[in-house]
Amino acid sequence: TLFRSDGSLWFGTFQGLSKYDGEKWQSYTTSEGVVNDSIRSLAASPDGSVWIGTENGVSNFDGKSWKNYNSLNGLPSNRISSIAVTRNGTVWLVSMNNLYQFDGSRWNLTSLPANVPINSVSGVTAAADGSLWVIATSGILRFDENNWVLIQFPKQGTVACLAISNKGDIWIGTRETGIVFLDGKLWSQAAMENVRSVLLDQGWAVDVTTESGSFSTTVPYWRTYTKKDGLLSNTINKIAIAEDGELWVATDSGISNLNTDN
């Protein structure tokens, strides 16, 4: 799920890409130009375009035309696990546990620090300050275009996802040890299992999806949302928050919406 500054919501599915502008839906499949219908990752670019990582390559859509990349025209591997675009417009992706950077014409393998014990990478996200954050087997890596820094945290587990707030707070979702939070100085933790995604709104609210339901907090208090509260399903794949505060939840049974009056 991707929420863009123009107010549109984008959903990647196994049957193509869909856009909701607040009034109507529009869908895109290979017939319209996307390289593959099985969408795995979405990222917004500063130029207004959307980057789409799929099971069989990468697409870039500027609202009118498509540019597609796969192994036939320079992409090292077709299966894309994660994609992110930093503030300067640099496109990064993870494929087959490796990190690649796009220079405008070629996808280049990125060499990670030799002094960090890293076997593989599984995800990337871009922060508001322009830095790139990489999920690795040994922890979280931050890259500021010049230097790599390894972020290690208490009770470290297998990192599933991460989110960086506009003020630089770090939220890490793990598979074994729950949510880990760094407010710049102190680490804290919320115990839960099998965290799948973490998303931050413009304030302090944090929304977390697990295999058992959805959680929302304004630190440090947690509230749980499950099917009993109106969700279509407790199996939640992605969360996005609109600028007006409405919460959109993609489940295995469809999309649920929590509006601002709850």
Side-chain angles (χ1 to χ4, degrees):
T1 306
L2 172 67
F3 175 70
R4 294 186 58 200
S5 57
D6 63 2
S8 61
L9 280 162
W10 296 71
F11 298 89
T13 77
F14 291 122
Q15 297 181 16
L17 179 68
S18 291
K19 172 188 174 182
Y20 180 62
D21 65 6
E23 295 181 356
K24 62 181 182 300
W25 289 90
Q26 186 170 0
S27 295
Y28 307 91
T29 65
T30 52
S31 298
E32 284 72 38
V34 66
V35 69
N36 185 264
D37 286 341
S38 185
I39 313 297
R40 296 182 57 85
S41 184
L42 299 172
S45 175
D47 65 9
S49 65
V50 176
W51 287 86
I52 305 113
T54 80
E55 287 281 352
N56 193 36
V58 174
S59 290
N60 176 252
F61 182 52
D62 64 7
K64 295 181 179 180
S65 60
W66 296 85
K67 293 181 181 177
N68 294 328
Y69 306 88
N70 54 36
S71 58
L72 298 177
N73 56 10
L75 196 65
S77 172
N78 285 339
R79 193 172 193 270
I80 310 305
S81 302
S82 182
I83 194 165
V85 184
T86 52
R87 188 175 59 187
N88 64 1
T90 303
V91 183
W92 300 81
L93 64 80
V94 174
S95 179
M96 302 301 289
N97 298 322
N98 289 309
L99 178 66
Y100 296 90
Q101 181 191 50
F102 186 53
D103 64 9
S105 59
R106 296 182 57 189
W107 297 92
N108 302 303
L109 178 66
T110 299
S111 297
L112 299 178
N115 61 337
V116 177
I118 297 171
N119 296 321
S120 65
V121 297
S122 59
V124 285
T125 190
D129 64 1
S131 60
L132 180 77
W133 293 73
V134 180
I135 301 174
T137 51
S138 56
I140 304 297
L141 288 167
R142 181 183 185 274
F143 180 59
D144 63 3
E145 298 184 3
N146 293 300
N147 302 301
W148 290 94
V149 177
L150 176 65
I151 309 295
Q152 294 181 310
F153 51 91
K155 297 182 179 179
Q156 190 161 324
T158 303
V159 178
C161 54
L162 67 95
I164 313 297
S165 75
N166 288 342
K167 60 178 288 188
D169 297 329
I170 306 171
W171 290 83
I172 301 170
T174 73
R175 301 194 187 282
E176 303 92 357
T177 57
I179 293 289
V180 182
F181 168 66
L182 177 66
D183 65 1
K185 296 181 180 180
L186 299 175
W187 289 99
S188 58
Q189 185 176 14
M192 60 188 72
E193 294 182 351
N194 294 317
V195 176
R196 301 178 67 171
S197 70
V198 179
L199 187 128
L200 311 177
D201 73 1
Q202 300 303 312
W204 277 98
V206 181
D207 289 270
V208 181
T209 61
T210 74
E211 291 184 0
S212 300
S214 174
F215 300 81
S216 179
T217 181
T218 52
V219 185
Y221 305 104
W222 293 87
R223 177 178 174 184
T224 302
Y225 298 94
T226 66
K227 194 171 181 179
K228 293 186 298 183
D229 302 292
L231 281 173
L232 284 173
S233 169
N234 288 336
T235 302
I236 298 159
N237 299 313
K238 213 67 166 168
I239 282 179
I241 301 175
E243 288 186 350
D244 61 6
E246 290 197 348
L247 178 69
W248 293 80
V249 184
T251 80
D252 65 345
S253 298
I255 297 167
S256 291
N257 168 254
L258 178 68
N259 60 34
T260 50
D261 63 7
N262 296 316

